[in-house]
Structure formats: structure tokens, C-alpha cells
């Protein structure tokens, strides 16, 4: 399929009701309002296509950008590609999910994550923390720099309540991901979460809530699922 064909199909799949929901959650125009389950129908037909994913992301259309992440070939993504995606992400569904997922699956996730968390711009910082969370979820502990993850838990504890709105949300998610996916740091993540307490994030008038890190981690402990990794970050 070509970019033009896919954009036409996305337009036919879009609905005003879904578009309104996305806009209410912070999406920016342009978008058609396509449900993720419908995007995955196109994903099944295209599978992975590096060049096509870049073209779709460059359209700036939110639906196309999310689909670009679903069909991206992580092995071919360069740092320049991922930086362009991080800068060009239309809203947090893309900057905190699509971009971090592919960054984490690529060869450049850790380097870019550390670069982004210190970048100017809340959307880049959020992408960095989310990338770290995704790395924790898919990489073997032996492939992770646990000392850095531990030090970043301390950093979150000190900085989270002063961070920009969406950055607070993903920092909290980083504490949860570290505690749930890295058994060696579960205790440290629990301690950090308790010290942090409840995190306040403005969710744009939606019913979305910020999970309490210690409570969330404890649920995973109770299920006996600590350290169970995912096959891939994207979903």
C-alpha cells in the first residue's frame, strides 16, 4: 500500500465521535479519529515497512503517526529518524507511546532516552521517561544499566512534583515500570513511590486517573508477575 492509499483508508475509517474523544484527551488536528483496533487492520496487511512508516509519520496526521509506529521496522530506525519523530509527535498519545515504543525496540533506545529526559521541551522529556519504561518492560535485566535506573528513581523522587504536567505522569509510570519489570529494583521503586506519594496531573477534564505507584506495584507482586517481560513495547 502507498501512503496515499492508506490516508484514504484512514479517512474512511475515521468517525467524528472518536475524533471528539481524542481531541478531548489532548489530540491536535489533523486527525480523522480512527480507533486503534482499526489501525491494526491496516497493520496486518502492511506488516513492517520502514519507508512507509516514515512517510506516514511525516504527514503530521495523528492517526497516521500512530499507524507509523505499528508498522515501523525498529531495526532500520536511525537516531535521526527517532529524533525527528520525537520532535514531530502531534500529541502525548504519539510522544509518550508510539515514539518510545519504537525507540525502545530500536538499537538507540537507552541513549535517546537519556538525551530526551534532559532536553528542552516537556514532550521530549516525556518521550525520554516513557522510553526508559519501555526498555524496562522488554529488555533482559542483564541488558539494562541497573545503576542508572536506580539513580533515576532517586531523581524522580526529587523532581517529579516540580516537573511539567505530562512529565509528572510518565515519571510516575517510570517508577511503576521499574518496580514491576526489574526485580532487583522493586524494593527501591516501592520506596520511591511511597516517598513521592500521590502524583497530581491535569488530565484535561477526562476521567483518566494517575495510578498510585506503590499500590500498582503491590498488585503485580500479589499476582506473582514481577519481572515478567513483554515481547515488544508497541501494542
Amino acid at each position: 500500500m502507498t501512503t496515499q492509499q492508506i490516508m484514504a483508508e484512514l479517512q474512511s475509517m475515521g468517525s467524528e465521535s472518536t475524533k471528539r474523544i481524542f481531541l478531548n484527551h489532548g489530540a491536535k488536528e489533523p486527525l480523522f479519529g480512527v480507533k486503534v483496533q482499526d489501525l491494526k487492520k491496516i497493520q496486518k496487511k502492511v506488516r513492517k515497512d520502514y519507508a512507509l512508516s516514515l512517510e506516514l509519520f511525516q504527514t503530521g496526521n495523528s492517526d497516521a503517526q500512530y499507524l507509523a509506529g505499528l508498522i515501523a521496522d525498529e531495526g532500520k530506525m536511525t537516531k535521526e529518524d527517532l529524533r525527528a519523530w520525537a520532535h514531530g509527535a502531534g500529541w502525548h498519545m504519539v510522544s509518550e507511546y508510539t515514539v518510545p515504543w519504537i525507540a525502545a525496540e530500536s538499537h538507540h533506545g537507552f541513549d535517546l532516552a537519556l538525551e530526551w529526559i534532559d532536553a528542552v521541551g516537556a514532550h521530549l522529556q516525556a518521550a525520554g521517561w516513557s522510553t526508559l519504561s519501555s526498555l524496562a518492560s522488554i529488555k533482559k535485566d542483564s541488558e539494562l544499566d541497573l545503576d542508572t535506573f536506580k539513580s533515576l528513581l532517586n531523581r524522580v523522587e526529587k523532581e517529579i512534583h516540580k516537573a511539567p504536567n505530562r512529565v509528572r505522569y510518565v515519571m510516575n509510570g517510570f517508577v511503576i515500570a521499574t518496580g514491576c519489570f526489574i526485580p532487583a529494583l522493586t524494593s527501591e521503586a516501592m520506596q520511591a513511590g511511597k516517598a513521592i506519594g500521590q502524583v497530581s496531573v491535569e488530565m484535561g477534564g477526562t476521567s483518566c486517573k494517575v495510578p498510585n505507584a506503590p499500590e500498582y506495584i503491590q498488585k503485580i507482586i500479589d499476582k506473582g508477575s514481577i519481572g515478567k517481560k513483554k515481547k515488544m513495547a508497541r501494542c
Side-chain angles (χ1 to χ4, degrees):
M1 299 181 72
T2 66
T3 297
Q4 185 176 8
Q5 290 171 328
I6 289 177
M7 294 303 292
E9 187 162 352
L10 290 175
Q11 186 171 14
S12 70
M13 288 178 164
S15 72
E16 286 301 316
S17 60
T18 301
K19 182 176 179 177
R20 283 195 298 271
I21 291 171
F22 287 160
L23 290 171
N24 193 39
H25 280 76
K28 302 288 189 264
E29 297 276 10
L31 75 161
F32 300 123
V34 183
K35 295 179 180 179
V36 173
Q37 64 200 54
D38 290 327
L39 294 177
K40 290 187 176 182
K41 294 176 183 177
I42 301 177
Q43 177 193 13
K44 289 181 179 179
K45 291 188 287 186
V46 176
R47 298 185 182 277
K48 290 184 180 182
D49 190 317
Y50 170 68
L52 183 58
S53 71
L54 296 184
E55 290 180 7
L56 287 171
F57 201 95
Q58 288 173 353
T59 66
N61 179 285
S62 175
D63 305 302
Q65 287 189 334
Y66 195 95
L67 177 60
L70 293 179
I71 67 169
D73 187 333
E74 70 284 357
K76 295 181 179 179
M77 295 293 286
T78 67
K79 280 188 176 181
E80 290 71 25
D81 294 332
L82 291 162
R83 287 183 179 121
W85 280 25
H87 282 275
W91 64 301
H92 66 78
M93 186 174 175
V94 179
S95 61
E96 296 172 20
Y97 298 93
T98 300
V99 175
W101 288 342
I102 306 308
E105 291 179 10
S106 77
H107 304 299
H108 316 293
F110 188 63
D111 289 343
L112 288 174
L114 296 183
E115 175 184 312
W116 290 336
I117 62 174
D118 288 326
V120 176
H123 68 294
L124 292 176
Q125 295 168 21
W129 289 107
S130 292
T131 300
L132 289 166
S133 295
S134 287
L135 287 167
S137 75
I138 63 172
K139 298 292 186 181
K140 296 178 181 178
D141 289 359
S142 59
E143 298 175 334
L144 298 171
D145 184 339
L146 299 189
D147 287 338
T148 297
F149 272 76
K150 184 176 181 179
S151 68
L152 289 173
L153 284 174
N154 294 328
R155 174 173 170 177
V156 170
E157 185 177 333
K158 295 175 182 177
E159 299 180 4
I160 188 168
H161 294 298
K162 297 179 181 179
N165 192 60
R166 290 301 306 184
V167 180
R168 294 197 299 274
Y169 185 83
V170 295
M171 278 182 159
N172 188 67
F174 168 76
V175 174
I176 291 173
T178 300
C180 292
F181 293 109
I182 307 177
L185 296 178
T186 298
S187 178
E188 284 82 354
M190 285 285 281
Q191 291 173 11
K194 290 176 181 178
I196 290 166
Q198 188 61 45
V199 178
S200 176
V201 177
E202 172 54 50
M203 306 297 280
T206 68
S207 60
C208 298
K209 297 181 180 179
V210 183
N212 178 276
E215 292 178 0
Y216 193 103
I217 296 170
Q218 187 60 53
K219 289 180 181 179
I220 303 303
I221 292 173
D222 294 341
K223 290 181 180 179
S225 297
I226 291 293
K228 290 187 177 180
K229 305 283 186 174
K230 300 191 293 185
K231 293 182 178 179
M232 60 178 63
R234 75 186 91 180
C235 63

